[in-house]
């Protein structure tokens, strides 16, 4: 089911500079009600043309952001589906399982709906999955206290790190280092060429909350850390200093709420338990705008990402919304 219409001014918008004035004009241009349960992850393709979603209803949906239409639905009834990530093509994804008996990661062709490879090794649920920005390697972190490094071209695990408790992982934009947000409030940075020697930087961030997500800004200068509370941290990736905290959103029930940078890293976005999306100025921490849907019933917005190539944001609760600035 499709509501409203995405305007054909997408390509004009894609070259607009992201300003506070533009942020204040964002509204849902299109809302898709294709899921029966919560959308648990989303990802844009590198060129921004496609968005893929995974849901607790065991379905994957692919959307064309240019036409504003759903391209296809694939069901994963056997394994369930979570943590969906595009590879370097928009025709394949990696996903984690969402059931109680399988901890494998799967490499799926969206073109013909076939699993190309299974990556087995974890003995607990995978809670963090990151694709390298420069090659076919990826990383996973699991509740089994391990972080594993993989290559799309082999089902054999390429490397292993042991970390107690809940950890989240991310590559820097060059794909040369990776960051681990480890339990106990630690942030550790590793060189991919020598990660087995341990981290080259380790920072203690003094936060009691469990991490739920980690992302680098596109310029590599900052790291955004989400927690299972209403606190998001902005950290200097070179010094480990906490540069900002964003807390003006609600998360009383401790659910994972995704936070994201805008492509130019000027703004930080996060969903909220009350169905709103909050946008802050990255460095000043000033809340620029709270985006709201018009409908009365709202569930937590667990996923929110900015299209890497255009003036568009996608968010998900049980429905998927495409947000663009409106012309007033």
């Amino acid at each position: 089911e499709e509501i409203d219409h995405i305007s054909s001014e997408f390509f004009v918008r894609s070259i607009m500079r992201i300003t506070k004035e533009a942020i204040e004009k964002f509204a849902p241009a299109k809302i898709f009600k294709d899921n029966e349960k919560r959308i648990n992850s989303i990802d844009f393709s590198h060129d921004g043309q496609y968005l893929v979603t995974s849901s607790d209803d065991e379905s994957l949906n692919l959307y064309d952001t240019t036409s504003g239409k759903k391209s296809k639905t694939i069901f994963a009834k056997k394994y369930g589906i979570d943590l969906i990530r595009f590879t370097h093509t928009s025709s394949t994804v990696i996903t984690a399982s969402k059931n109680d008996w399988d901890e494998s990661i799967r490499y799926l062709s969206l073109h013909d709906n076939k699993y190309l490879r299974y990556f087995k090794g974890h003995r607990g649920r995978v809670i963090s999955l990151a694709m390298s920005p420069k090659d076919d390697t990826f990383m996973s972190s699991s509740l089994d206290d391990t972080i594993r490094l993989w290559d799309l071209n082999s089902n054999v695990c390429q490397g292993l790190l042991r970390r107690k408790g809940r950890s989240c992982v991310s590559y820097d934009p060059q794909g040369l280092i990776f960051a681990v947000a480890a339990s106990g409030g630690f942030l550790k940075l590793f060189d991919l060429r020598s990660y087995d020697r341990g981290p080259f930087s380790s920072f203690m961030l003094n936060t009691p909350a469990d991490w739920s997500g980690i992302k680098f800004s596109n310029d590599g200068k900052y790291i955004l850390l989400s927690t299972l509370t209403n606190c998001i941290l902005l950290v200097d990736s070179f010094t480990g200093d906490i540069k900002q905290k964003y807390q003006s959103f609600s998360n009383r029930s401790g659910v994972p709420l995704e936070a994201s940078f805008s492509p130019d890293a000027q703004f930080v976005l996060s969903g909220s338990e009350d169905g709103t999306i909050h946008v802050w100025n990255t460095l000043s921490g000033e809340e620029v705008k709270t985006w709201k849907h018009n409908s009365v019933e709202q569930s937590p917005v667990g996923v929110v990402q900015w299209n890497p190539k255009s003036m568009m944001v996608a968010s998900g609760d049980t429905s998927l919304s495409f947000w663009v600035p409106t012309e007033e």
Side-chain angles (χ1 to χ4, degrees):
E1 188 187 344
E2 294 174 6
I3 303 168
D4 292 334
H5 173 69
I6 283 198
S7 108
S8 58
E9 294 153 22
F10 253 35
F11 296 110
V12 179
R13 291 210 174 100
S14 68
I15 52 174
M16 277 172 64
R17 201 169 143 264
I18 303 169
T19 60
K20 182 178 174 180
E21 291 70 36
I23 294 283
E24 288 169 348
K25 290 182 180 174
F26 269 72
K30 196 137 200 180
I31 299 171
F32 298 89
K33 297 184 177 289
D34 296 320
N35 293 102
E36 293 169 17
K37 294 182 181 175
R38 144 191 112 92
I39 295 169
N40 55 41
S41 69
I42 62 175
D43 197 33
F44 279 103
S45 58
H46 290 279
D47 60 7
Q49 186 177 350
Y50 293 100
L51 179 89
V52 69
T53 68
S54 64
S55 166
D56 288 353
D57 64 14
E58 302 172 328
S59 71
L60 171 164
N61 285 311
L62 180 70
Y63 299 88
D64 185 319
T65 66
T66 312
S67 66
K69 291 190 165 61
K70 183 173 79 167
S71 302
K72 65 168 57 183
T73 299
I74 295 172
F75 287 98
K77 295 287 187 192
K78 183 176 176 184
Y79 300 101
I81 191 162
D82 196 5
L83 301 175
I84 197 155
R85 305 284 183 264
F86 274 109
T87 64
H88 292 285
T89 73
S90 52
S91 59
T92 55
V93 293
I94 50 173
T95 76
S97 301
K98 185 78 179 180
N99 59 32
D100 297 329
W101 52 270
D102 181 87
E103 291 85 25
S104 67
I105 298 158
R106 295 179 316 287
Y107 180 24
L108 172 69
S109 165
L110 300 176
H111 175 64
D112 51 9
N113 188 15
K114 282 196 178 129
Y115 290 122
L116 305 175
R117 197 161 273 118
Y118 295 82
F119 304 93
K120 295 177 184 289
H122 282 302
R123 297 174 185 277
R125 189 164 63 86
V126 174
I127 57 165
S128 184
L129 194 59
M131 188 77 213
S132 165
K134 72 164 194 172
D135 58 26
D136 282 343
T137 59
F138 67 96
M139 285 179 353
S140 57
S141 173
S142 160
L143 293 177
D144 65 5
D145 295 339
T146 67
I147 293 161
R148 288 177 178 264
L149 286 81
W150 309 89
D151 188 308
L152 287 176
N153 306 299
S154 166
N155 56 11
V156 178
C157 178
Q158 306 290 305
L160 180 73
L161 288 170
R162 296 191 189 279
R163 285 284 171 274
K164 281 271 181 231
R166 190 184 178 96
S167 296
C168 295
V169 292
S170 180
Y171 290 88
D172 82 316
Q174 280 75 45
L176 298 174
I177 68 171
F178 65 89
V180 176
S183 129
F186 286 100
L187 175 62
K188 296 175 184 287
L189 302 181
F190 294 82
D191 186 319
L192 266 159
R193 293 159 299 188
S194 55
Y195 62 86
D196 47 340
R197 291 188 213 147
F200 65 83
S201 289
S202 188
F203 309 118
M204 177 65 193
L205 299 177
N206 289 318
T207 174
D210 278 330
W211 306 119
S212 60
I214 178 171
K215 292 182 184 178
F216 278 87
S217 58
N218 276 341
D219 58 9
K221 287 182 184 174
Y222 300 106
I223 295 172
L224 199 60
L225 289 155
S226 314
T227 68
L228 293 174
T229 65
N230 68 322
C231 181
I232 302 161
L233 299 182
L234 180 77
V235 176
D236 184 303
S237 59
F238 298 102
T239 65
D241 294 335
I242 295 174
K243 292 294 189 184
Q244 199 50 258
K245 288 184 182 181
Y246 315 99
Q247 296 182 289
S248 55
F249 65 104
S250 62
N251 188 9
R252 288 190 196 89
S253 45
V255 292
L257 299 175
E258 184 175 28
S260 295
F261 287 107
S262 59
D264 59 6
Q266 283 191 89
F267 300 98
V268 167
L269 313 167
S270 173
S272 182
E273 191 177 46
D274 60 6
T276 58
I277 296 168
H278 295 253
V279 188
W280 298 274
N281 178 292
T282 302
L283 290 179
S284 76
E286 171 207 1
E287 183 163 319
V288 178
K289 190 72 176 174
T290 302
W291 298 340
K292 297 183 171 92
H293 287 86
N294 296 327
S295 56
V296 182
E297 245 182 89
Q298 287 304 327
S299 50
V301 177
V303 291
V304 57
Q305 283 182 27
W306 200 294
N307 186 314
K309 300 293 184 191
S310 75
M311 196 71 107
M312 172 195 189
V313 169
S315 71
D317 42 28
T318 49
S319 58
L320 173 72
S321 301
F322 286 168
W323 302 75
V324 296
T326 53
E327 304 303 328
E328 292 179 325

